[in-house]
């Protein structure tokens, strides 16, 4: 069982839809991350939140909008996505930003039609 | 430029055989080093990490890794592979990207197949 919980597990959305991915951890970690993983590829960093503030944005298109409502929650709001955005979206957390091991959730498998 | 290399895209071993997965990095200082494992459709699970100290580190599931500074390597080993070890293995390196900031870079991964 993972200590980082992601919902939903699977999501199918059209290009005009608005949806959100959710991530929750209760380990007291102060850094949270969104990664995107295409098939047979390593995870690619999208965003990092440190102490609830956006620390890193890896030049991600604005159709992806992260939000960190509190230290335990991380959301990723999706709007007007493209089919090439279909991927496994992984959330992770760590005690502090990158200076400690990352704990990953099981991901949300997103399909954009 | 900072980089992580896993030279083997796919490795096949027989159950019970020993395993070594290779990882090399390019960085001017000693980074933080990790090995993660990913089963199909799952997230990544940390196997082990090296920050400092003893260069031979023990992890979960019977895995170990050795940091060799002279070779800029952090190879993962297991003396006897089990069928359940079949998965994708990622080496990851946290390197200083400026000031007190670190950035985690993943290798491209090695897919392990275990034959009965």
């Amino acid at each position: 069982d993972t200590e980082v919980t992601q919902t939903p597990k699977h999501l199918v959305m059209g290009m005009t839809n608005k949806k959100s991915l959710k991530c929750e951890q209760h380990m007291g970690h102060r850094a949270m991350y969104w990664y995107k993983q295409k098939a047979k590829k390593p995870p690619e960093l999208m965003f990092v939140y440190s102490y609830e503030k956006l620390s890193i944005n890896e030049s991600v298109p604005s159709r992806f909008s992260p939000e960190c409502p509190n230290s335990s929650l991380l959301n990723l709001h999706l709007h007007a996505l493209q089919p090439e955005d279909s991927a496994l979206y992984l959330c992770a957390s760590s005690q502090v930003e990158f200076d400690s091991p990352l704990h990953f959730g099981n991901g949300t498998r997103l399909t954009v039609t | 430029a900072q980089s992580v290399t896993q030279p083997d895209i796919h490795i096949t071993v027989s159950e019970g055989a020993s395993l070594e997965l290779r990882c090399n990095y390019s960085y001017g200082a000693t980074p933080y080093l990790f090995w993660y494992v990913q089963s199909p459709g799952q997230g990544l699970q940390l196997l082990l990490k090296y920050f400092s100290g003893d260069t031979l580190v023990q992890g979960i599931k019977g895995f170990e890794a050795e940091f060799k500074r002279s070779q800029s390597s952090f190879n993962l080993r297991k003396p006897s592979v089990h069928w359940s070890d079949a998965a994708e293995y990622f080496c990851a390196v946290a390197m200083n990207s400026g000031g007190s900031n670190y950035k985690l870079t993943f290798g491209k991964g090695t897919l392990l197949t275990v034959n009965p």
Side-chain angles (χ1 to χ4, degrees):
Chain A
D1 287 340
T2 179
E3 296 168 314
V4 177
T5 304
Q6 289 188 245
T7 56
K9 286 186 170 58
H10 301 274
L11 178 63
V12 179
M13 61 184 290
M15 289 189 283
T16 58
N17 291 159
K18 285 185 182 181
K19 297 287 185 183
S20 296
L21 309 185
K22 297 186 183 303
C23 175
E24 188 168 4
Q25 58 87 15
H26 294 287
M27 295 178 281
H29 290 173
R30 303 314 303 266
M32 296 187 76
Y33 312 76
W34 280 115
Y35 281 84
K36 173 182 177 180
Q37 187 179 26
K38 302 284 272 184
K40 302 187 187 302
K41 298 288 187 184
E44 298 175 4
L45 182 65
M46 300 175 72
F47 301 104
V48 180
Y49 273 84
S50 182
Y51 291 87
E52 300 160 52
K53 294 191 187 309
L54 184 64
S55 172
I56 295 177
N57 177 342
E58 289 286 286
S59 302
V60 179
S62 60
R63 58 185 184 268
F64 295 92
S65 176
E67 177 196 22
C68 189
N70 60 56
S71 59
S72 299
L73 295 174
L74 185 66
N75 299 323
L76 186 63
H77 303 298
L78 314 172
H79 174 53
L81 294 194
Q82 303 297 311
E84 59 265 28
D85 296 321
S86 299
L88 181 67
Y89 288 83
L90 293 164
C91 174
S93 70
S94 64
Q95 288 183 336
V96 293
E97 185 178 334
F98 286 132
D99 197 16
S100 53
L102 270 61
H103 296 252
F104 283 86
N106 284 330
T108 293
R109 175 72 59 189
L110 174 67
T111 303
V112 182
T113 62
Chain B
Q2 301 164 348
S3 64
V4 183
T5 302
Q6 291 181 248
D8 304 305
I9 296 173
H10 188 189
I11 284 183
T12 299
V13 299
S14 298
E15 191 168 16
S18 63
L19 172 70
E20 182 170 31
L21 303 182
R22 296 181 291 164
C23 174
N24 293 92
Y25 64 90
S26 172
Y27 181 56
T30 299
Y32 300 146
L33 300 158
F34 309 88
W35 275 99
Y36 286 89
V37 61
Q38 186 177 32
S39 297
Q42 301 291 312
L44 279 73
Q45 182 182 24
L46 180 69
L47 286 176
L48 46 78
K49 63 184 185 290
Y50 174 78
F51 282 9
S52 63
D54 192 345
T55 56
L56 183 64
V57 294
Q58 303 296 320
I60 62 171
K61 304 186 181 187
F63 285 93
E64 67 176 26
E66 185 171 13
F67 169 57
K68 292 186 177 179
R69 186 190 309 274
S70 61
Q71 298 176 18
S72 297
S73 69
F74 188 56
N75 294 348
L76 182 71
R77 299 194 294 250
K78 186 170 184 177
S80 177
V81 171
H82 188 263
W83 64 266
S84 60
D85 293 325
E88 186 91 29
Y89 290 80
F90 292 99
C91 178
V93 178
M95 295 179 270
N96 192 299
S97 61
S100 59
N101 296 322
Y102 283 79
K103 184 171 181 178
L104 189 67
T105 300
F106 285 91
K108 292 183 184 243
T110 298
L111 179 64
L112 175 65
T113 298
V114 181
N115 288 334

